[in-house]
């Protein structure tokens, strides 16, 4: 991501995170940062259509560690899918390795957002008391599921708006072709990959997590080098 874009997003999020900023204004600053991140993805896709070498298809491995490794992996999928990346989950000890496939610019966006959102999820869980009578682990797993669902919905909406703003009929075709190429790359590496069964969660934290996901900052570029393994409450 260009330094100019990073600078714009940093300034917007600094305003959004200012304790003195009214909630309505904070939401507007955060929405603008999200819009810039989505627009960047579309711009890079259109550039790569003219110059494929500028943004090749690639892959990378992301370690997802306990506790709540499966739930963290679900958050990564919720971020990756709207940003046109695909992933395969592999068991590693009590955690997972997720093998991400996507174009370089999209992989960059996924890693930035996922690292930031893990930190925000940790803060959100720590600030959310487990109701009396609820099993802490079940409540937190369902909280994380709600958080991930809200994040996925917001990212899909931001990406759709960026495509609409591009204003060209060919943009959707370019992005569809990119998605197809990523899917082919994954199939070459994992010809027998299986879809994981849908989870059933018993905890009552989904609504609280979903609300936190709707409030979360998206597009925080200040996180490179910050650990993605910040522990969630046990």
């Amino acid at each position: 991501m260009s330094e100019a874009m990073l600078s714009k997003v940093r300034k917007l999020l600094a305003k959004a995170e200012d304790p003195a900023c009214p909630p309505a204004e904070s939401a507007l600053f955060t929405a603008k940062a999200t819009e810039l991140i989505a627009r960047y993805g579309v711009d890079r896709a259109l550039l790569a259509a003219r110059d494929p070498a500028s943004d090749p298809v690639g892959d990378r491995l992301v370690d997802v560690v306990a506790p709540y490794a499966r739930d963290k992996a679900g958050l990564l999928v919720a971020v990756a899918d709207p940003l046109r990346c695909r992933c395969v989950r592999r068991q590693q000890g009590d955690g997972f390795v997720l093998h991400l496939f996507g174009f370089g610019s999209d992989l960059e966006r996924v890693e930035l957002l996922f690292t930031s959102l893990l930190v925000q999820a940790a803060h959100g869980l720590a600030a959310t008391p487990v109701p009396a009578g609820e099993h802490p682990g079940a409540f937190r797993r369902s909280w994380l599921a709600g958080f991930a669902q809200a994040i996925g919905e917001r990212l899909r909406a931001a990406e759709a708006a960026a495509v609409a703003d591009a204003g060209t009929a060919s943009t959707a075709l370019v992005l569809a072709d990119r998605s197809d190429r990523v899917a082919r790359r994954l199939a070459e590496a994992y010809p027998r990959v299986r879809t994981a069964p849908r989870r059933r969660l018993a905890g009552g934290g989904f609504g609280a997590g979903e609300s936190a996901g709707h409030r979360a900052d998206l597009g925080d570029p200040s996180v490179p080098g910050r650990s993605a393994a910040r522990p969630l409450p046990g």
Side-chain angles (χ1 to χ4, degrees):
M1 190 172 297
S2 71
E3 285 301 319
M5 178 70 76
L6 285 174
S7 178
K8 288 181 181 178
V9 176
R10 284 193 184 104
K11 290 176 181 178
L12 286 166
L13 290 177
K15 293 177 180 178
E17 294 164 3
D18 186 343
C21 184
E25 291 184 21
S26 177
L28 289 174
F29 289 134
T30 300
K32 183 61 177 179
T34 307
E35 175 189 337
L36 289 175
I37 291 291
R39 189 185 304 164
Y40 168 78
V42 171
D43 289 345
R44 285 300 304 268
L46 296 177
L47 175 63
R50 299 189 296 270
D51 180 12
S54 68
D55 194 18
V57 179
D59 66 294
R60 60 190 65 181
L61 301 176
V62 179
D63 292 325
V64 180
V65 300
Y68 305 112
R70 189 180 299 272
D71 310 286
K72 294 175 186 175
L75 177 59
L76 179 54
V77 173
V79 173
D81 187 63
L83 303 190
R84 295 177 291 280
C85 293
R86 302 282 298 277
C87 55
V88 173
R89 190 183 70 195
R90 305 192 317 228
Q91 188 81 38
Q92 179 173 275
D94 58 358
F96 298 97
V97 171
L98 271 77
H99 196 168
L100 285 176
F101 296 84
F103 284 80
S105 61
D106 294 329
L107 290 171
E108 177 187 24
R109 295 192 299 155
V110 168
E111 287 201 313
L112 284 170
L113 286 170
F114 178 59
T115 304
S116 175
L117 289 167
L118 273 183
V119 174
Q120 294 180 59
H123 288 314
L125 274 178
T128 304
V130 178
E134 283 259 14
H135 184 279
F139 178 85
R140 288 168 179 151
R141 283 190 290 272
S142 62
W143 189 100
L144 287 164
F147 184 84
Q149 177 166 300
I151 293 300
E153 290 172 354
R154 291 178 63 192
L155 289 174
R156 280 189 287 273
E159 293 294 310
V163 173
D165 287 345
T168 63
S170 63
T171 301
L173 295 177
V174 168
L175 297 177
D177 178 67
R178 283 166 72 91
S179 295
D180 288 343
R181 290 174 62 187
V182 171
R184 290 197 299 270
R185 179 67 175 269
L186 183 149
E188 290 170 1
Y190 295 95
R192 297 181 181 179
V193 68
R194 295 180 298 174
T195 301
R198 188 178 182 86
R199 296 179 73 197
R200 293 187 177 183
L201 299 171
F206 187 93
E210 186 176 30
S211 295
H214 283 298
R215 294 191 304 269
D217 289 338
L218 299 181
D220 186 345
S222 63
V223 296
R226 185 165 61 186
S227 173
R230 182 185 180 93
L232 300 182

